[in-house]
Amino acid sequence: MKNIITTILIMLSVSLFSQTKLDTLVFNKVNDYRVSMSLNPLKWETTCFKASKHHTSYLYRKNLAVWPNSFCGHSEDTLKDYSDRYKFYSNNKRFLHLGEVAQSISKNYKVIDIDYLDKMASSIVDAWKSSPKHNELILKTDFLFGGVNCQYFTKSCGINTYLNYRIVATMLLVK
């Protein structure tokens, strides 16, 4: 019985903190961009992912509440900023330098488009690149590790073969 409970708890914890295909695509596109700018790629760090997922979940809930408006920001009600989130998920591990990029995007995609995840990932990274402060953060040579989480929901946009995707994404970077 003890083994069954342990197995269930492990499966639940892995599923609660598991990376999605969209997370991987965004992380890889950020690294491709860094490499194209002659920088080293970031290494995946689970604590960054957990802190990013915490904030992305907050943004997701807020965007559901304010639809059709868009909501994005770096602070929240419980863990006020990204350093609080990182400390919480790392059990107060010390860090030298942190940065966070967050984005909320509303885009229409064809319902039958099989490349929609790749297009979403490109939209997220392109939005970060087009924002001077976000671009500066993802290109900082100080950062060695990162983690990203993306979540989205769909609503009808009134066009028969399209859906509106509200995509929220957060990436935490650490030295």
Side-chain angles (χ1 to χ4, degrees):
M1 184 66 163
K2 185 177 176 183
N3 287 340
I4 293 172
I5 292 172
T6 302
T7 303
I8 290 170
L9 288 174
I10 289 171
M11 289 174 57
L12 280 173
S13 66
V14 168
S15 68
L16 290 174
F17 291 110
S18 60
Q19 184 180 358
T20 67
K21 182 176 180 179
L22 183 57
D23 299 339
T24 303
L25 287 168
V26 170
F27 191 75
N28 290 342
K29 286 182 184 292
V30 167
N31 274 336
D32 290 346
Y33 178 51
R34 286 176 58 89
V35 168
S36 77
M37 302 300 283
S38 302
L39 299 172
N40 290 328
L42 299 168
K43 293 179 182 105
W44 184 264
E45 197 214 30
T46 303
T47 301
C48 287
F49 168 73
K50 289 176 182 178
S52 294
K53 183 170 180 148
H54 181 98
H55 191 58
T56 301
S57 296
Y58 170 79
L59 294 175
Y60 180 91
R61 289 188 308 273
K62 284 290 208 177
N63 275 285
L64 275 174
V66 300
W67 178 270
N69 297 317
S70 184
F71 175 84
C72 194
H74 294 280
S75 62
E76 54 181 80
D77 303 331
T78 54
L79 300 173
K80 298 283 184 203
D81 66 20
Y82 53 89
S83 63
D84 292 338
R85 292 186 286 276
Y86 187 82
K87 287 176 193 172
F88 177 80
Y89 286 102
S90 69
N91 295 321
N92 290 313
K93 185 167 97 177
R94 293 185 48 83
F95 57 88
L96 297 174
H97 187 59
L98 282 175
E100 180 183 73
V101 292
Q103 192 65 45
S104 174
I105 300 170
S106 183
K107 296 277 266 185
N108 294 334
Y109 294 106
K110 276 192 171 184
V111 175
I112 57 170
D113 190 349
I114 59 171
D115 294 330
Y116 74 99
L117 286 178
D118 190 63
K119 289 178 181 176
M120 278 187 208
S122 293
S123 294
I124 292 163
V125 176
D126 288 345
W128 287 337
K129 287 166 45 176
S130 67
S131 164
K133 290 191 184 233
H134 288 121
N135 189 52
E136 181 183 330
L137 279 172
I138 61 177
L139 292 179
K140 270 197 172 208
T141 57
D142 299 19
F143 295 127
L144 305 173
F145 303 96
V148 65
N149 180 252
C150 309
Q151 297 176 34
Y152 62 91
F153 60 90
T154 61
K155 297 273 188 175
S156 172
C157 65
I159 303 171
N160 196 20
T161 58
Y162 285 82
L163 282 175
N164 182 267
Y165 286 76
R166 176 63 51 84
I167 310 155
V168 289
T170 307
M171 181 173 204
L172 192 68
L173 306 124
V174 69
K175 177 178 180 182

